[in-house]
Amino acid sequence: MNKLIIGLLVVAAGAGIFLFLRKKKNEITVNSINKEWIIGKWKTDSTVATDSNFSKYQFDFQKDGNVVRSLNDSAKADTMYYEWNKASDLVWKEKPNDSTGKIYAVTKLTRDSLSFQSPDSSTVLFIKTK
């Protein structure tokens, strides 16, 4: 009976350690986003864009927090703003001095792709243009 209880305790401790290390690994991955990779020109992936017009826009993320949105390299462009919050979420703003904005959870940021999820769980995928 004692061997059974000791065996169950060892298994429970092992499962607890496994879950703790797995959670810690996921936290490191989320917080280790290289935020500099967002700088540059991006276009939405047309295969996942729900709005056909949205896929025609080009977004130019700049170092100073500006996002210039243009339609097929037209001369007319809109400027929006972005910043990173403490949780490494992307905060999208209409004006630079807005205290609040739309918060998007960045699920992937590499040198050539950016994916984030909106609060309503819709996912947007951007591909870096060359």
Side-chain angles (χ1 to χ4, degrees):
M1 183 70 168
N2 287 339
K3 290 181 182 180
L4 178 65
I5 292 174
I6 291 172
L8 289 174
L9 287 174
V10 169
V11 170
I17 291 170
F18 172 76
L19 292 174
F20 174 75
L21 293 176
R22 185 173 173 198
K23 180 181 177 188
K24 191 172 183 179
K25 182 180 177 184
N26 287 343
E27 289 175 359
I28 291 170
T29 304
V30 170
N31 291 331
S32 65
I33 292 174
N34 188 345
K35 297 173 184 173
E36 294 291 319
W37 286 347
I38 200 168
I39 307 302
K41 294 182 180 181
W42 298 84
K43 195 167 185 114
T44 57
D45 185 11
S46 60
T47 59
V48 295
T50 56
D51 182 8
S52 61
N53 288 330
F54 189 71
S55 64
K56 296 177 184 175
Y57 283 102
Q58 179 173 306
F59 297 85
D60 185 4
F61 287 84
Q62 300 172 351
K63 238 180 193 179
D64 58 359
N66 292 338
V67 180
V68 179
R69 182 181 72 170
S70 59
L71 184 60
N72 288 336
D73 296 326
S74 68
K76 187 176 181 181
D78 297 330
T79 302
M80 293 164 281
Y81 307 91
Y82 77 95
E83 66 182 32
W84 297 97
N85 67 10
K86 291 179 183 177
S88 293
D89 293 329
L90 191 65
V91 181
W92 201 277
K93 299 178 173 188
E94 294 296 321
K95 297 178 185 174
N97 55 359
D98 284 348
S99 59
T100 60
K102 292 183 181 179
I103 298 175
Y104 297 95
V106 176
T107 54
K108 180 181 179 183
L109 177 58
T110 63
R111 293 182 192 270
D112 57 357
S113 67
L114 165 65
S115 177
F116 55 80
Q117 190 172 14
S118 67
D120 67 354
S121 297
S122 60
T123 302
V124 178
L125 176 63
F126 287 91
I127 304 297
K128 194 165 246 183
T129 60
K130 304 283 179 189

